[in-house]
């Protein structure tokens, strides 16, 4: 009888784990998801090395999860496109509820540019910006549908079998999805608004601290670290998408790989002639 009971318990526990909301992001040494996207390398950063008032690109990789399959299904709303959104809050309070929507960066990876402090609504910024304070961010990753005329043609959509409203918990004791660096006050980023950029929702109602991924960038050029011969070049758009060839005008990144294995990234600009 004890063996049957134990088997039944394990089966239930396993089933619950399968249904838990997860993503394919890497994790840091403390078990939190690494959510920072490196636009220059078009991949996840090695850590969440940002403070609460520092601008960064957030991204989620749903490869191999129920959300990947859901995104490929036929939308419920006629003529709609499916995407992902991240309903979020912090240990210090809430963030702007109009800034949840994400757009694709590359296959199965969705993101946006954020500044947590600028997104604050009920969030206690005085506490979050106390020396050495860490901001823990919690949230729910879910699907939505949009059309050219309706940014919320479908909302709060969950894959079949996925627990509705489940938080995105990497398994940390705090159940936070990720956390910031301890606050020093030395990394404060300039203010920006979504309506300063194309390609995101809500241009008619400005949202501070929210923009398309990889659009609010500065100072990314790598120092010259090697004179080894160049063996390949890769071009990346400011949205983080790899390009088939070098652009003839505009802002973009050039990633150079050298024979000795070193990689350099340059932010370039070409004007229209």
């Amino acid at each position: 009888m004890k063996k049957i009971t134990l088997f039944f318990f394990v089966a239930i526990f396993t089933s619950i784990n399968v249904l838990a909301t997860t993503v394919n992001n890497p994790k840091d040494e403390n078990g939190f998801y690494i959510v920072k996207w490196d636009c220059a390398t078009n991949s996840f950063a090695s850590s969440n090395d940002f403070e609460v008032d520092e601008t960064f690109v957030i991204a989620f990789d749903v490869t191999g999860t129920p959300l990947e399959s859901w995104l490929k299904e036929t939308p419920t709303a006629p003529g709609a496109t499916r995407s992902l959104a991240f309903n979020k809050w912090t240990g210090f309070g809430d963030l702007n509820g109009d800034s949840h929507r994400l757009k694709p960066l590359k296959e199965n990876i969705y993101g946006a540019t954020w500044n947590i402090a600028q997104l604050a609504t009920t969030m206690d910024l005085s506490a979050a910006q106390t020396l050495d304070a860490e901001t823990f961010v919690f949230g729910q990753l879910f699907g939505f549908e949009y059309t050219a005329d309706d940014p919320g043609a479908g909302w709060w959509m969950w894959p079949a079998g996925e627990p509705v409203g489940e938080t995105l918990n990497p398994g940390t004791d705090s159940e936070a999805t990720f956390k910031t660096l301890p606050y020093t006050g030395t990394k404060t980023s300039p203010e920006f608004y979504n309506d300063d950029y194309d390609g995101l929702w809500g241009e008619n109602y400005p949202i501070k601290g929210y923009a398309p991924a990889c659009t609010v960038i500065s100072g990314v050029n790598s120092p010259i670290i090697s004179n080894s011969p160049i063996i390949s070049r890769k071009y990346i758009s400011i949205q983080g998408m790899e390009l088939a060839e070098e652009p003839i005008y505009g802002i973009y990144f050039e990633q150079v790989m050298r024979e000795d294995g070193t990689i350099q990234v340059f932010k370039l600009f070409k004007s229209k002639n």
Side-chain angles (χ1 to χ4, degrees):
M1 181 64 182
K2 288 183 179 179
K3 290 183 179 179
I4 294 174
T5 303
L6 178 61
F7 174 79
F8 183 67
F9 172 78
V10 170
I12 292 176
F13 184 76
T14 302
S15 175
I16 291 173
N17 275 346
V18 169
L19 294 176
T21 303
T22 59
V23 290
N24 202 36
N25 290 43
K27 292 183 180 180
D28 65 20
E29 59 185 5
N30 296 310
F32 294 96
Y33 282 127
I34 295 175
V35 297
K36 182 180 178 180
W37 185 256
D38 187 333
C39 298
T41 62
N42 204 29
S43 61
F44 282 101
S46 58
S47 65
N48 295 322
D49 59 347
F50 51 86
E51 296 184 16
V52 69
D53 56 5
E54 183 178 4
T55 297
F56 69 101
V57 173
I58 187 168
F60 296 102
D61 181 357
V62 296
T63 302
T65 73
L67 280 169
E68 179 187 6
S69 300
W70 179 86
L71 286 162
K72 295 175 181 177
E73 294 172 1
T74 302
T76 303
T81 299
R82 287 190 161 181
S83 193
L84 299 178
F86 187 61
N87 178 38
K88 57 201 175 291
W89 61 94
T90 77
F92 295 113
D94 290 341
L95 304 176
N96 192 315
D98 291 325
S99 62
H100 297 334
R101 294 174 177 84
L102 310 172
K103 274 197 167 181
L105 290 171
K106 57 191 300 186
E107 187 176 9
N108 300 327
I109 299 177
Y110 291 71
T113 299
W114 280 9
N115 185 298
I116 296 172
Q118 293 181 35
L119 288 170
T121 52
T122 66
M123 181 180 177
D124 185 349
L125 283 178
S126 62
Q129 293 175 314
T130 299
L131 187 64
D132 291 331
E134 297 176 314
T135 297
F136 290 76
V137 179
F138 307 79
Q140 300 150 314
L141 189 66
F142 62 95
F144 76 99
E145 296 178 351
Y146 66 94
T147 65
D149 301 320
D150 186 356
W155 192 250
W156 196 245
M157 305 177 79
W158 297 78
E162 189 82 349
V164 175
E166 187 81 5
T167 57
L168 186 58
N169 177 10
T172 58
D173 291 339
S174 66
E175 299 187 1
T177 305
F178 67 95
K179 68 173 182 174
T180 68
L181 287 176
Y183 190 68
T184 66
T186 62
K187 297 187 174 185
T188 305
S189 299
E191 289 187 358
F192 64 95
Y193 290 80
N194 64 315
D195 61 346
D196 293 329
Y197 304 90
D198 295 324
L200 204 59
W201 299 272
E203 289 87 351
N204 295 326
Y205 46 97
I207 303 170
K208 186 166 68 171
Y210 177 54
C214 302
T215 52
V216 187
I217 303 172
S218 62
V220 300
N221 286 0
S222 301
I224 300 298
I225 55 177
S226 172
N227 291 317
S228 178
I230 294 173
I231 59 173
S232 69
R233 298 178 187 271
K234 183 185 294 185
Y235 301 101
I236 301 168
S237 72
I238 61 171
Q239 286 78 32
M241 306 296 288
E242 185 173 345
L243 304 172
E245 57 186 19
E246 184 175 7
I248 58 175
Y249 66 87
I251 300 173
Y252 62 97
F253 298 100
E254 180 185 52
Q255 179 179 298
V256 172
M257 178 173 286
R258 296 183 179 273
E259 198 171 71
D260 62 2
T262 58
I263 296 175
Q264 295 168 262
V265 179
F266 303 93
K267 184 180 180 182
L268 304 176
F269 171 74
K270 289 182 180 179
S271 60
K272 288 184 178 180
N273 294 325

